[in-house]
């Protein structure tokens, strides 16, 4: 999984974190899996956005955060365990949900991750992913301003590659809306090249030109910025 330094971690929290109000559709989408008494593993928890969200939304659910990057763990200000998808520091059959938000494209060995997921999941447990997939990126508004960022898409897996690579079956696939920013002006003020996998594929000139297009649009357009990421729920093969 990708490692981050302190500057990147701080930039990530500034540019990528979304208000809980902007994520209410995600709260509703995952609610069927976050039932009272269950344990959720937030794997690749980053700066802790969803750790905080889940604790507010689902106070009767236990959330365990695992993050490989020391800089991200420090930026989060939250207690987190050290580990990654290939080495989860939890006992066998200890969680009901493995949650990963915009992380799966960083996992290089999907088969090893699948082995670990099956090990830590209790019977009936699921893997719940919030992600962008290579064949499903039309709901991301970033490409309107940074069209060259599509070059970064080959670094993202397809839904089939993830499911087959991990050895799981697809239970649910749905695009979920989120309010990424309150306005284009807000988005323009926080956009950072180093905080986004797709934007890191741009040259400095391409990023600067895209930021100018974003600022120009922000001067004449109002309203929230709504993007769609996919919810992918995976179940063990043969599970109902």
């Amino acid at each position: 999984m990708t490692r981050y330094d302190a500057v990147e971690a701080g930039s990530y929290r500034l540019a990528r974190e979304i208000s809980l109000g902007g994520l209410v559709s995600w709260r509703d989408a995952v609610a069927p899996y976050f039932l009272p008494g269950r344990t959720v593993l937030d794997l690749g928890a980053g700066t802790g956005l969803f750790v905080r969200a889940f604790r507010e939304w689902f106070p009767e659910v236990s959330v365990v955060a695992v993050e490989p990057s020391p800089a991200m763990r420090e930026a989060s200000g939250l207690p987190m365990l050290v580990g990654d998808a290939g080495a989860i520091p939890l006992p066998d059959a200890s969680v009901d949900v493995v949650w990963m938000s915009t992380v799966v494209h960083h996992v290089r060995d999907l088969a090893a991750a699948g082995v670990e997921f099956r090990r830590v999941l209790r019977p009936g447990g699921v893997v719940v992913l919030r992600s962008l997939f290579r064949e499903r990126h039309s709901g991301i508004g970033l490409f309107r301003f940074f069209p060259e960022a599509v070059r970064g898409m080959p670094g993202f897996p397809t839904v089939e590659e993830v499911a087959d690579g991990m050895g799981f079956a697809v239970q649910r696939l749905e695009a979920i809306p989120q309010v990424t920013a309150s306005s284009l002006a807000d988005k323009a003020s926080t956009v950072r090249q180093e905080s986004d996998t797709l934007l890191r594929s741009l040259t400095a000139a391409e990023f600067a030109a895209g930021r100018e297009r974003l600022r120009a649009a922000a001067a004449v357009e109002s309203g929230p910025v709504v993007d769609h990421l996919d919810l992918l729920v995976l179940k063990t093969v043969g599970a109902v």
Side-chain angles (χ1 to χ4, degrees):
M1 296 172 71
T2 300
R3 307 286 171 161
Y4 297 87
D5 62 26
V7 173
E8 290 170 329
S11 179
Y12 186 97
R13 185 159 190 182
L14 172 67
R16 294 287 301 278
E17 290 207 351
I18 302 171
S19 72
L20 296 192
L23 292 168
V24 291
S25 293
W26 280 99
R27 178 198 62 197
D28 297 342
V30 304
Y33 314 104
F34 288 59
L35 300 179
R38 288 189 172 177
T39 299
V40 174
L41 165 61
D42 186 346
L43 182 59
T47 54
L49 170 63
F50 278 97
V51 178
R52 294 187 291 272
F54 295 153
R55 288 175 178 170
E56 178 172 321
W57 295 339
F58 310 110
E60 296 181 337
V61 168
S62 176
V63 181
V64 180
V66 171
E67 169 57 45
S69 166
M72 286 289 198
R73 294 195 301 271
E74 183 176 357
S76 78
L78 299 170
M80 294 187 179
L81 301 176
V82 182
D84 59 32
I88 300 172
L90 295 177
D92 296 356
S94 57
V95 304
D96 302 287
V97 176
V98 175
W99 163 266
M100 298 174 72
S101 174
T102 60
V103 168
V104 73
H105 61 287
H106 294 305
V107 178
R108 298 307 171 210
D109 192 337
L110 292 171
V115 170
E116 275 291 84
F117 293 173
R118 283 185 288 276
R119 181 184 68 79
V120 300
L121 280 171
R122 293 171 179 148
V126 292
V127 178
V128 181
L129 305 179
R130 172 179 175 265
S131 190
L132 176 64
F133 296 100
R134 189 162 69 243
E135 78 279 33
R136 293 171 59 90
H137 61 271
S138 61
I140 302 300
L142 172 146
F143 295 112
R144 172 186 170 194
F145 307 104
F146 302 94
E148 301 90 349
V150 74
R151 284 200 306 264
M153 286 308 302
F156 287 76
T158 66
V159 170
E160 183 178 16
E161 287 169 350
V162 171
D164 291 352
M166 291 183 180
F168 281 74
V170 175
Q171 184 181 79
R172 179 182 176 190
L173 176 62
E174 181 181 349
I176 306 297
Q178 61 187 39
V179 179
T180 304
S182 60
S183 65
L184 285 177
D186 180 39
K187 182 68 174 176
S189 70
T190 60
V191 67
R192 299 289 187 279
Q193 185 173 13
E194 66 273 15
S195 69
D196 190 288
T197 300
L198 292 169
L199 295 182
R200 285 199 296 270
S201 71
L202 303 180
T203 66
E206 288 169 342
F207 176 74
R211 185 170 54 189
E212 286 308 307
R213 285 190 288 268
L214 176 56
R215 288 171 174 169
V220 296
E221 297 180 26
S222 61
V225 178
V226 178
D227 290 307
H228 291 74
L229 284 178
D230 278 324
L231 168 68
L232 174 63
V233 180
L234 302 174
K235 62 181 181 178
T236 54
V237 175
V240 178

